[in-house]
Amino acid sequence: MRREDLARLFARARDLCGETEYVVFGSLAVLGCAGEVPPRMAASIDVDAFCRNDPDRVFELAPALGQGSPFEAEHGFYLDPISPRVATLPTGWSERLTRIQLGLDLAAWFLEVHDAAVSKYARSEPRDREWIRPGLRAGVLSLAVLEARLAETAFLDSDEARRASQALEEDRRWLQTGRKRSR
């Protein structure tokens, strides 16, 4: 997935609902980063997003742009409408959004990549970990920043907090092991 793909999706969304600014969560938040990102981090075909000025409006777009839609059939990716309250995120996440102009009257706001990783640590599903590790290996994600963000996160419960901390520690050991092998 590339920013151009998001521009195509959000231009169609704008044509349907009139909204001109969208917020991207999930895996594709990595497209807000400057520079090269590992291909695995941008491999998703579902764009987790909501309308910035009217978040619930995005759900109206599902029939035309969501999974199983004509848009997906034509382009191979789709809008996955979400609520901004769906993810466990660190305090201050909304101030760290990155705005990127996609067209004359079209912009996307991207969840900062470390904030996206915190939400993935909270879930700790295998596909989430498969997204985090290439970012750690490539330096797109920093263990120090992730530790700080985990400390700023109000988790749903102690199980979610424990799961996130444990996953971060596993990734720290994994990263150290890989560095030792490459020496």
Side-chain angles (χ1 to χ4, degrees), residues 84-128:
R85 296 170 299 282
V86 72
T88 297
L89 295 168
T91 302
W93 68 267
S94 60
E95 287 83 42
R96 290 186 291 270
L97 292 171
T98 300
R99 183 181 189 276
I100 295 180
Q101 196 72 29
L102 297 176
L104 190 58
D105 62 343
L106 191 62
W109 295 76
F110 295 86
L111 186 64
E112 197 277 331
V113 70
H114 291 90
D115 292 335
V118 165
S119 74
K120 289 179 174 300
Y121 274 131
R123 275 193 334 201
S124 284
E125 292 180 3
R127 65 187 172 141
D128 294 323

Side-chain angles (χ1 to χ4, degrees), residues 45-46 62-70 72 77-81:
I45 63 165
D46 61 313
L65 303 176
Q67 188 171 19
S69 68
E72 180 189 15
F77 61 94
Y78 62 92
L79 175 70
D80 188 4

Side-chain angles (χ1 to χ4, degrees), residues 4-81:
E4 297 80 27
D5 298 320
L6 295 182
R8 183 178 301 115
L9 174 66
F10 294 141
R12 184 70 182 116
R14 177 199 56 216
D15 294 346
L16 293 169
C17 75
E19 295 290 329
T20 59
E21 296 191 2
Y22 298 86
V23 179
V24 179
F25 271 29
S27 298
L28 294 177
V30 74
L31 296 178
C33 290
E36 290 290 315
V37 298
R40 172 63 186 96
M41 292 183 82
S44 183
I45 63 165
D46 61 313
V47 181
D48 299 328
F50 57 89
C51 303
R52 184 165 189 264
N53 297 316
D54 186 0
D56 291 335
R57 190 122 193 240
V58 74
F59 294 100
E60 299 170 11
L61 299 170
L65 303 176
Q67 188 171 19
S69 68
F71 185 91
E72 180 189 15
E74 181 179 346
H75 299 287
F77 61 94
Y78 62 92
L79 175 70
D80 188 4

